[in-house]
Amino acid sequence: MTTTPNKVKVTVTGAAGNIAYSLLWRIGAGEVFGPNTIVDLALLEVPDHVSNAEGVAMELSDSALERVGNITVTDDAAKAFDGANAAFLVGAKPRGKGESRADMLQANGQIFIGQGRAINDHAADDVRVLVVGNPANTNAYIANKAAPDVSAEHFNALMRLDHNRAISMLSQKLGKHSSEFENIAVWGNHSDTQFPDIAYATVGGQPVKDLVDEAWYVDEFIPRVAKRGAEIIEVRGRSSAASAASAAVDHMRDWVAGTEGKWATTAVPSTGIYGVDEGLVFGFPAIARDGRWTVVEGLELTDFQRARINANIEALREEAAIADRLF
Ligand code: NAD
Ligand code: LMR
């Protein structure tokens, strides 16, 4: 017996850029929406880069990927988001050496007002929006604010890359495979203030905090994870792309299919939980089930954790105040 495949429409912005060049093929291979789903792809670019995006679409087509349906290329946001069930908002300027992600707010913030409005007016009711373009948390805050008819839980920002980096660094330190780690959390903003937290982490069932010394944790691990994006820019000469695409795949796949009770770091609009202002898009430990994220509740926080979380609340409040003035 054959099963009729599902169909979803997926919009990817910044389709001619570095991240999309990896992300589109991972989506097309069925890694996000599963093997029984055909994906219609809408590639959104700025007018000057539509031709480059058409070249990307030609290559996608030439790959004859079994999970890809129609591919459209456009610079019209209304058309790109029309009926979209999922959207990866990647299109934005990356920072260069010496810049902070927050510096990108003036350059990129406006993009997310227009795209939030287009999502509000044209996307499918079940749309899942994952903001990748920096500063990702505040751009998601902007898109959410620009889409008053879409419930806030439909807007996420990507902090899975930070989560994956934390696991990778612990894996190298402890000589354990990444798949053995559970209950990692990266709280806050996708910025230098982010708080990769090992308080609840286990490896092979053992508490990670019993296996590393505090000086390494505080003075090496936390800042290195938080500054890994800058380290990549320094060494690679441009910002992370394939690892960002891979994290975006992890995030959207888990959002759709669930995490089987496991934690994943997800930046979602706060409901006020853990004292984070409602609406700020904040990285939390979360579990996905039945197509929805639920933040892990009831974790007891030490003064050390509280101070780090508060620093992120403060930073995101400042970014949100700047963002509010863009409207
Ligand atoms: P890139 O410069 O290679 O590509 C960005 C593309 O976006 C360009 O082709 C540009 O024309 C397009 N674009 C700009 N404005 C647009 C708009 N309004 N609509 C549609 N497309 C638009 O950059 P990249 O390396 O692909 O990175 C994209 C963004 O992702 C950057 O802001 C980068 O900092 C961010 N990023 C975030 C994470 C994360 O973990 N959240 C990780 C890596 C990179
Ligand atoms: C990353 O974390 O690699 C991205 O956000 C790119 C950057 O500017 O650091």
Side-chain angles (χ1 to χ4, degrees):
M1 200 176 77
T2 54
T3 335
T4 313
N6 305 316
K7 247 197 180 218
V8 291
K9 174 169 172 179
V10 178
T11 309
V12 177
T13 75
N18 275 296
I19 293 175
Y21 203 59
S22 172
L23 176 62
L24 287 164
W25 271 262
R26 304 278 304 269
I27 296 171
E31 290 183 48
V32 182
F33 300 96
N36 196 37
T37 301
I38 300 289
V39 178
D40 286 340
L41 288 167
L43 312 188
L44 182 67
E45 256 297 345
V46 293
D48 282 354
H49 289 165
V50 162
S51 162
N52 309 87
E54 277 166 354
V56 173
M58 286 162 68
E59 280 205 78
L60 264 173
S61 186
D62 290 350
S63 304
L65 296 165
E66 280 186 20
R67 301 294 107 209
V68 174
N70 300 324
I71 307 171
T72 49
V73 180
T74 182
D75 58 6
D76 177 354
K79 192 172 163 197
F81 291 111
D82 187 36
N85 307 102
F88 293 87
L89 306 191
V90 181
K93 188 175 175 293
R95 66 174 166 160
K97 286 185 190 182
E99 288 179 306
S100 82
R101 297 185 188 98
D103 292 338
M104 298 295 104
L105 193 49
Q106 290 298 347
N108 292 335
Q110 209 70 42
I111 296 172
F112 296 85
I113 298 181
Q115 292 181 357
R117 287 182 180 147
I119 288 165
N120 189 69
D121 294 347
H122 301 284
D125 290 346
D126 66 350
V127 68
R128 291 182 171 85
V129 181
L130 177 58
V131 176
V132 177
N134 278 319
N137 301 55
T138 298
N139 288 336
Y141 166 91
I142 292 171
N144 178 25
K145 185 170 169 166
D149 303 333
V150 182
S151 144
E153 65 179 317
H154 292 255
F155 289 89
N156 289 183
L158 183 69
M159 284 188 64
R160 186 63 167 266
L161 180 55
D162 308 294
H163 179 103
N164 290 348
R165 285 168 172 165
I167 290 178
S168 156
M169 239 163 258
L170 289 170
S171 159
Q172 285 170 41
K173 173 80 174 169
L174 297 173
K176 303 278 187 187
H177 192 263
S178 54
S179 60
E180 294 182 72
F181 289 87
E182 285 195 35
N183 297 355
I184 304 277
V186 184
W187 302 86
N189 196 8
H190 177 62
S191 71
D192 292 1
T193 57
Q194 69 180 247
F195 172 37
D197 187 0
I198 62 164
Y200 324 97
T202 59
V203 56
Q206 253 193 303
V208 167
K209 62 179 175 351
D210 293 352
L211 302 174
V212 297
D213 64 74
E214 198 171 332
W216 178 82
Y217 172 49
V218 176
D219 300 329
E220 286 187 46
F221 173 79
I222 294 177
R224 188 133 187 239
V225 172
K227 293 180 185 160
R228 184 66 163 184
E231 191 181 343
I232 298 283
I233 292 170
E234 195 58 43
V235 177
R236 182 175 182 258
R238 59 209 300 199
S239 75
S240 65
S243 58
S246 198
V249 165
D250 290 344
H251 182 130
M252 188 66 85
R253 179 204 59 225
D254 284 356
W255 195 356
V256 172
T259 58
E260 295 178 343
K262 293 193 174 154
W263 293 15
T265 295
T266 311
V268 294
S270 172
T271 54
I273 194 167
Y274 293 110
V276 179
D277 308 9
E278 190 177 342
L280 292 180
V281 177
F282 204 86
F284 293 107
I287 291 169
R289 190 176 289 122
D290 300 329
R292 301 175 71 156
W293 290 109
T294 304
V295 173
V296 177
E297 286 185 60
L299 299 170
E300 286 196 12
L301 301 170
T302 62
D303 290 347
F304 175 80
Q305 289 171 297
R306 192 72 256 174
R308 299 259 169 177
I309 288 170
N310 286 348
N312 281 280
I313 297 173
E314 206 45 58
L316 280 166
R317 270 186 198 149
E318 282 172 25
E319 288 185 26
I322 297 169
D324 288 340
R325 292 198 287 274
L326 297 176
F327 280 82

